[in-house]
Amino acid sequence: DAGVTQSPTHLIKTRGQHVTLRCSPISGHKSVSWYQQVLGQGPQFIFQYYEKEERGRGNFPDRFSARQFPNYSSELNVNALLLGDSALYLCASSLATHLEQFFGPGTRLTVL
Amino acid sequence: GQQLNQSPQSMFIQEGEDVSMNCTSSSIFNTWLWYKQDPGEGPVLLIALYKAGELTSNGRLTAQFGITRKDSFLNISASIPSDVGIYFCAGQLTTSGTYKYIFGTGTRLKVLA
């Protein structure tokens, strides 16, 4: 069975630009979460979605937004990119909000 | 951002030795998860714990959900070179129907053959 997939694998943007990252969950999983991982640190929780509704939000500015589609895939959008947004962005899926999460390989975003 | 206290921060061990690491928090968690992450890849789930006091094994790995629900530990027995990597704990908080996951600072494990 396919695991969590994310696209693109790598991305280079400049300050002020906008970026959209995509995630497809494991088949049958209805919950998707997004994390930011800066080099040398643990993942930081950004959002959790379940059945297209936001069910959790971390301490990130409003420049970060996300949505979940009827097929349970998800997009993370980041506006007005800053140098500090450079990180590995991870998507995780789970059957439900309180169950174990399985991570994708991540999207490496570099902001110049 | 908020992170759980995880110790030790790093450790070098000989192949065949047992390893122990733990995670502590001031908050009460409903779920504890343990992950291993290799460079440039996403974390891989090792063990999930759902009840206080729960002790769960996965091959050479054993983890426990602390009785106070504020801590968890992970043991690796008879370490092998492929155990090298960064181990993260993660706790799940539930507040007013919303969910939040907090990861630990990571334990970097290096195994000497």
Side-chain angles (χ1 to χ4, degrees):
Chain A
D1 287 343
V4 177
T5 59
Q6 292 186 244
S7 64
T9 305
H10 296 87
L11 201 53
I12 299 175
K13 293 284 190 178
T14 56
R15 282 177 295 174
Q17 285 189 312
H18 161 271
V19 69
T20 298
L21 310 180
R22 295 178 175 82
C23 171
S24 292
I26 293 170
S27 178
H29 284 196
K30 297 182 177 181
S31 180
V32 169
S33 297
W34 286 96
Y35 293 82
Q36 180 195 67
Q37 186 175 27
V38 174
L39 196 62
Q41 296 184 16
Q44 293 287 323
F45 175 66
I46 309 175
F47 290 110
Q48 182 179 52
Y49 277 77
Y50 177 72
E51 292 280 14
K52 297 176 289 180
E53 289 190 3
E54 183 184 301
R55 299 302 299 271
R57 174 186 284 255
N59 298 325
F60 279 81
D62 292 343
R63 298 185 297 108
F64 289 77
S65 64
R67 55 179 176 168
Q68 186 177 31
F69 299 100
N71 66 354
Y72 304 111
S73 67
S74 178
E75 283 183 353
L76 175 70
N77 294 285
V78 186
N79 292 323
L81 286 167
L82 304 175
L83 295 179
D85 294 332
S86 295
L88 180 68
Y89 287 85
L90 296 162
C91 172
S93 77
S94 56
L95 283 168
T97 52
H98 63 288
L99 297 177
E100 63 263 30
Q101 298 187 330
F102 297 87
F103 282 83
T107 294
R108 172 70 62 186
L109 172 65
T110 301
V111 182
L112 302 176
Chain B
Q2 186 178 5
Q3 290 194 298
L4 301 175
N5 297 317
Q6 195 170 338
S7 64
Q9 189 173 19
S10 63
M11 54 194 315
F12 287 82
I13 61 169
Q14 292 286 338
E15 184 177 358
E17 287 184 346
D18 295 344
V19 174
S20 184
M21 60 190 78
N22 66 74
C23 211
T24 60
S25 170
S26 57
S27 301
I28 292 175
F29 289 103
N30 300 315
T31 301
W32 281 98
L33 306 169
W34 284 92
Y35 290 90
K36 178 176 182 280
Q37 187 174 28
D38 293 326
E41 299 182 9
V44 174
L45 181 67
L46 300 174
I47 292 180
L49 302 160
Y50 295 104
K51 293 191 303 185
E54 180 181 353
L55 185 71
T56 298
S57 293
N58 177 10
R60 294 180 295 106
L61 278 60
T62 301
Q64 185 161 27
F65 193 140
I67 291 292
T68 64
R69 295 170 61 192
K70 294 182 178 181
D71 60 350
S72 178
F73 73 76
L74 174 70
N75 286 339
I76 305 172
S77 62
S79 57
I80 58 178
S82 62
D83 290 335
V84 166
I86 304 176
Y87 292 79
F88 289 103
C89 62
Q92 184 211 54
L93 286 169
T94 305
T95 306
S96 302
T98 64
Y99 300 85
K100 189 172 183 179
Y101 291 83
I102 303 173
F103 273 70
T105 49
T107 292
R108 286 150 182 77
L109 180 63
K110 299 187 179 181
V111 180
L112 306 174

